[in-house]
Amino acid sequence: MRLGINLGYAGASMPDVLPLVEHADRVGFDSVWAAEAYGSDAVTVLAYLAARTEHLDLGSAILQMPARTPAMTAMTAMTLDALSGGRLLLGLGLSGPQVAEGWHGVPYGKPLERTAEYVDIVRKVIAREEPLVYEGEHYQVPYRGEGATGLGKPLKSILHPVRSDIPVYLAAVGPRNTRLAAEIADGWLPILYSPEREALFNEHLDAGLAAAGKDPSEFDIATTVHVSAGDDLEACRDQLRPFFALYVGGMGARNQNFYKDLMVRYGFEEAAQRIQDLYLDGRKAEAAAAVPDQIVDEMALVGPVERIVERLEAWKRSRIGTLILATQQPDILEAIRDVV
């Protein structure tokens, strides 16, 4: 199992988190991941970290596909890979309809078909085997549709990539998206993962791997687990409850929230509904308080270091290939490294 750290939306707080990243680089961690939503972007953060680190792979978790054309994402990936000496892990995701349509102003559309075409184009651009020509349902390159001048012509990147095949990771929550990730990507970025309940995903992962003729060892499952270490177990849980309440309660509409749906599939239907009702009613503190201990204990690492070390055994037995820690506590990194 490889180890990473997740900085979240750290673009504006880099001076605070840089010591953690540099420490992780020194003590043998494998990767650092940056995210974006509708604030700081991940590309700028990764470019900065490329210059401040020596060994860590640089992962995007995620770059939002609605924000960029496939060609632009490929250009960005090749540039970051060149700047870092071949250390990029390209994590992609569609986000959700609220962000795609409400922030980027583009249709959410058919997520599975759009994702498959997007990844296909990105790979073609990076491979640089021929000028880009693509005729899909969602993407046509060169563009010949309404408003086109007719002057577009197939192009090939003028940048020679450091690697002609940059690893692609896909964020996915639902069954069909998870299967697609296993089929077309090099890795999967799940969220709110429970090692005890991973059988829920196995059928879809294995179907995707089989469709692509992949061996499971060729596919990396890289999940972020939040860490709060301290002697007071309940205080550590309380520190992380707002995170779970935000995703289960607020990251989506009342009738479409992928994270709430996941909790329901896990068997936490009653708790998930209560968290969402409270959160969307503006009672965020009560929503956080409604997050059961079991959810925090299964999907995070909390409490005294000895308890965290013991809990790591479940993660080591799981299918996870990369365990990405979300923490602001540098002192816990080496304890987890020594166990993993």
Side-chain angles (χ1 to χ4, degrees):
M1 182 183 286
R2 293 169 295 277
L3 287 172
I5 55 171
N6 192 329
L7 305 182
Y9 313 119
S13 58
M14 186 53 61
D16 298 326
V17 300
L18 183 60
L20 177 73
V21 177
E22 293 176 332
H23 183 68
D25 199 29
R26 287 193 301 270
V27 302
F29 269 54
D30 299 284
S31 56
V32 56
W33 301 75
E36 61 185 21
Y38 40 93
S40 61
D41 76 291
V43 174
T44 308
V45 173
L46 294 177
Y48 179 81
L49 293 177
R52 299 300 298 259
T53 58
E54 296 182 14
H55 311 292
L56 292 171
D57 285 338
L58 306 166
S60 55
I62 55 168
L63 293 190
Q64 296 176 349
M65 290 188 279
R68 303 169 179 87
T69 67
M72 184 70 246
T73 291
M75 290 168 61
T76 299
M78 290 188 294
T79 306
L80 284 172
D81 206 47
L83 288 173
S84 64
R87 291 188 282 145
L88 181 67
L89 303 174
L90 180 59
L92 301 173
L94 276 174
S95 190
Q98 284 188 318
V99 172
E101 298 176 4
W103 182 249
H104 296 300
V106 298
Y108 189 64
K110 300 176 181 178
L112 294 176
E113 295 85 351
R114 187 181 294 271
T115 298
E117 290 186 14
Y118 196 103
V119 171
D120 197 17
I121 296 171
V122 168
R123 289 197 189 278
K124 286 179 182 294
V125 173
I126 295 172
R128 203 179 173 274
E129 293 175 350
E130 58 188 6
L132 178 62
V133 176
Y134 198 86
E135 290 293 335
E137 179 183 352
H138 300 278
Y139 298 100
Q140 298 85 42
V141 186
Y143 179 68
R144 305 297 189 197
E146 183 180 354
T149 64
L151 300 176
K153 68 175 185 178
L155 299 171
K156 183 164 65 172
S157 171
I158 59 175
L159 172 64
H160 290 254
V162 172
R163 294 181 292 173
S164 59
D165 185 13
I166 295 172
V168 173
Y169 287 67
L170 283 178
V173 179
R176 293 191 302 160
N177 297 52
T178 300
R179 173 178 172 148
L180 181 68
E183 183 175 349
I184 70 171
D186 302 291
W188 174 40
L189 295 168
I191 191 171
L192 304 180
Y193 197 90
S194 168
E196 281 82 8
R197 301 173 195 270
E198 67 178 8
L200 188 71
F201 307 112
N202 289 343
E203 174 188 354
H204 313 296
L205 288 170
D206 292 339
L209 293 171
K214 294 180 187 174
D215 187 278
S217 64
E218 301 172 357
F219 186 73
D220 184 26
I221 301 175
T223 190
T224 292
V225 55
H226 281 67
V227 183
S228 179
D231 293 333
D232 188 333
L233 174 59
E234 193 60 23
C236 291
R237 287 176 176 146
D238 288 345
Q239 186 179 32
L240 296 184
R241 288 186 214 272
F243 160 77
F244 289 98
L246 168 64
Y247 275 78
V248 177
M251 283 290 195
R254 190 179 293 275
N255 63 346
Q256 189 175 33
N257 180 320
F258 305 133
Y259 312 105
K260 181 203 168 191
D261 292 345
L262 177 60
M263 291 299 105
V264 172
R265 289 161 57 208
Y266 276 161
F268 296 107
E269 181 173 3
E270 183 177 345
Q273 187 62 58
R274 176 165 173 73
I275 292 166
Q276 186 187 63
D277 289 342
L278 289 168
Y279 200 97
L280 295 182
D281 286 345
R283 299 155 66 183
K284 296 181 181 180
E286 292 177 66
V291 175
D293 290 352
Q294 187 176 0
I295 286 179
V296 181
D297 289 347
E298 283 190 24
M299 302 169 211
L301 294 169
V302 291
V305 173
E306 297 78 11
R307 186 180 189 274
I308 289 175
V309 167
E310 180 180 349
R311 176 62 186 152
L312 280 167
E313 292 304 314
W315 292 92
K316 289 168 64 178
R317 291 191 300 268
S318 75
R319 295 181 68 164
I320 297 299
T322 301
L323 190 66
I324 308 169
L325 310 180
T327 181
Q328 298 296 320
Q329 298 173 280
D331 54 326
I332 197 66
L333 301 188
E334 286 157 282
I336 292 176
R337 176 205 63 188
D338 291 344
V339 173
V340 172

